[in-house]
Amino acid sequence: MTPPPSPPTPTPRLTPTRPGSLALVVLVACVAAWALANRFYGDLPMFTWFPALTLALLAIFELIAARATRARIDRQEGAGPVEPLAVARFAALAKASSLGGALFVGLYAGLLLFLLSERERLAAAADDVPECTGGLIAAVLLVGAALWLERCCRIPDPPDDEES
């Protein structure tokens, strides 16, 4: 009697974020934001610092989470044990944040291109440049923090046989 076949080895379903996917999101959002600003800039509400601050705070949270997660996975002294479900949640947050951050990078870049091209003609456009620039910087920071958090959530390679 032959033993039953072993179940197939599960493959990871959460794959690393591809830079090409993020670049495509940035490009499409940039073109859309520029086109919409070109058509509807007078109807847009006044720009504020609130979205940029929100993106920056989320980036700071993800940087802190990445550092703590890496310390736990590497079993550094003083770091607590790894909670697999928390790491999986952080990985999902990182993927969503990198995509959302890329969307905001594109939106702010498109708006900034429009504002810089119209600042000589429209006084309001010149006034909106600082908030838009701050939002662009915060969105880029969010993408970077999210990609680092995603990298910190990876399972380390097993040790070599010679070392163990």
Side-chain angles (χ1 to χ4, degrees):
M1 188 169 202
T2 61
S6 61
T9 305
T11 58
R13 292 189 181 156
L14 192 63
T15 59
T17 302
R18 286 180 257 152
S21 300
L22 296 179
L24 181 64
V25 169
V26 169
L27 183 64
V28 169
C30 182
V31 170
W34 181 85
L36 290 171
N38 199 26
R39 174 74 174 103
F40 299 108
Y41 179 70
D43 298 328
L44 291 176
M46 190 172 79
F47 284 61
T48 66
W49 286 100
F50 184 73
L53 181 63
T54 304
L55 293 172
L57 289 175
L58 185 55
I60 290 168
F61 170 77
E62 290 192 19
L63 287 172
I64 293 168
R67 184 173 177 180
T69 302
R70 174 56 48 206
R72 289 176 176 213
I73 288 176
D74 289 344
R75 295 184 176 140
Q76 292 177 358
E77 191 174 321
V82 177
E83 296 179 27
L85 189 55
V87 173
R89 287 178 178 159
F90 280 147
L93 172 67
K95 283 194 69 80
S97 294
S98 64
L99 184 61
L103 180 65
F104 276 103
V105 167
L107 291 175
Y108 276 119
L111 286 171
L112 191 59
L113 286 173
F114 172 79
L115 294 175
L116 292 175
S117 68
E118 297 293 324
R119 69 180 171 197
E120 300 296 327
R121 194 171 65 87
L122 299 171
D127 293 342
D128 288 338
V129 168
E131 290 88 351
C132 192
T133 303
L136 179 61
I137 292 168
V140 169
L141 289 175
L142 177 60
V143 171
L147 291 174
W148 189 46
L149 176 59
E150 183 180 325
R151 178 127 179 106
C152 289
C153 290
R154 290 185 182 173
I155 298 170
D157 293 330
D160 292 337
D161 290 336
E162 295 174 8
E163 293 177 10
S164 55

